[in-house]
Amino acid sequence: MKKKTLLLMFILCVGCCFAQDDPGLLIKTNVLNLVAKRPTIAVEKIFSNLYGLELAYSSGQIKNFVNLDDYQYEGFLLRAKKYIHPVKKREANAFYGAYFGSMNKRVVSHGTVDHTGFFSWGRDRDFKANSLRYGGTFGVSFIPGKHFLLEGLTGLGYGDYDHVQNNLQNKLPGGYFDFQLWLSIGYSF
């Protein structure tokens, strides 16, 4: 009975999404996250053709990259958007907004010392931490055809570490500068 009810609800939701003339539901993925070898998925609902509410999940792992031996992350992000003009297909739709989210990190890095021993770049780090991050975002969304979607956005903010498990004895900062760069492709219902 549960499966039949869930299937019926899914069919009704998909039917409602396809019945909309203007974009109402957007599903997208950040192609820049392919560097981290894992997917990013975001679902955005547009209200009154001026406001958007987006929920995103991202995860990834980067190894052996400029003094960074291992960087793993996983987290959710809730982004509220205000479009400057009503959202229309075949037009660039600029927006700004705010975001709030959580991120679980594992960072391992070793500072690099040159052969003379005088210069050092980076520092030794080995920790796991949860964090809450928040900030502002701005970008442009473009729906060139019937359903295809392109979006570019950037976000700037701050993240506060919480529940830090430090594997070294060095002092960790209380937070970090949160920078986001997304180039997304997706589907508009």
Side-chain angles (χ1 to χ4, degrees):
M1 187 65 180
K2 280 185 181 180
K3 290 180 182 177
K4 289 179 184 178
T5 306
L6 289 173
L7 180 63
L8 181 62
M9 288 173 54
F10 177 74
I11 291 171
L12 288 174
C13 288
V14 169
C16 290
C17 292
F18 280 110
Q20 298 177 1
D21 290 333
D22 295 322
L25 186 67
L26 310 172
I27 298 177
K28 48 197 162 182
T29 185
N30 179 8
V31 296
L32 297 178
N33 204 55
L34 294 176
V35 171
K37 302 173 189 162
R38 297 216 181 121
T40 295
I41 186 80
V43 178
E44 179 181 353
K45 175 65 178 148
I46 297 177
F47 303 97
S48 304
N49 278 345
L50 284 173
Y51 304 98
L53 191 59
E54 178 178 333
L55 180 63
Y57 169 78
S58 65
S59 67
Q61 180 176 12
I62 299 172
K63 286 187 169 217
N64 301 325
F65 182 75
V66 187
N67 293 340
L68 193 61
D69 296 328
D70 190 19
Y71 176 68
Q72 299 173 16
Y73 62 93
E74 178 179 31
F76 288 95
L77 193 70
L78 182 63
R79 185 179 288 127
K81 298 178 179 177
K82 166 68 170 94
Y83 287 90
I84 295 173
H85 300 290
V87 176
K88 294 181 182 172
K89 293 182 180 180
R90 295 181 183 83
E91 287 187 17
N93 302 295
F95 61 86
Y96 60 91
Y99 69 88
F100 178 78
S102 67
M103 178 76 71
N104 298 326
K105 289 184 176 185
R106 166 103 170 106
V107 179
V108 178
S109 67
H110 299 288
T112 302
V113 179
D114 69 344
H115 297 292
T116 63
F118 291 111
F119 300 103
S120 173
W121 296 276
R123 62 175 192 236
D124 290 341
R125 294 185 294 177
D126 186 353
F127 69 94
K128 271 176 112 170
N130 298 330
S131 67
L132 292 176
R133 56 191 179 141
Y134 43 88
T137 187
F138 59 93
V140 176
S141 182
F142 181 64
I143 305 171
K146 210 171 190 183
H147 298 289
F148 183 68
L149 164 76
L150 294 169
E151 182 176 88
L153 70 85
T154 187
L156 299 170
Y158 187 76
D160 288 318
Y161 285 125
D162 186 25
H163 299 6
V164 178
Q165 177 187 353
N166 191 2
N167 297 327
L168 298 175
Q169 298 305 319
N170 59 354
K171 183 180 180 224
L172 294 174
Y176 60 94
F177 175 68
D178 189 45
F179 174 73
Q180 300 174 15
L181 185 62
W182 290 51
L183 179 60
S184 300
I185 59 171
Y187 193 81
S188 164
F189 291 97

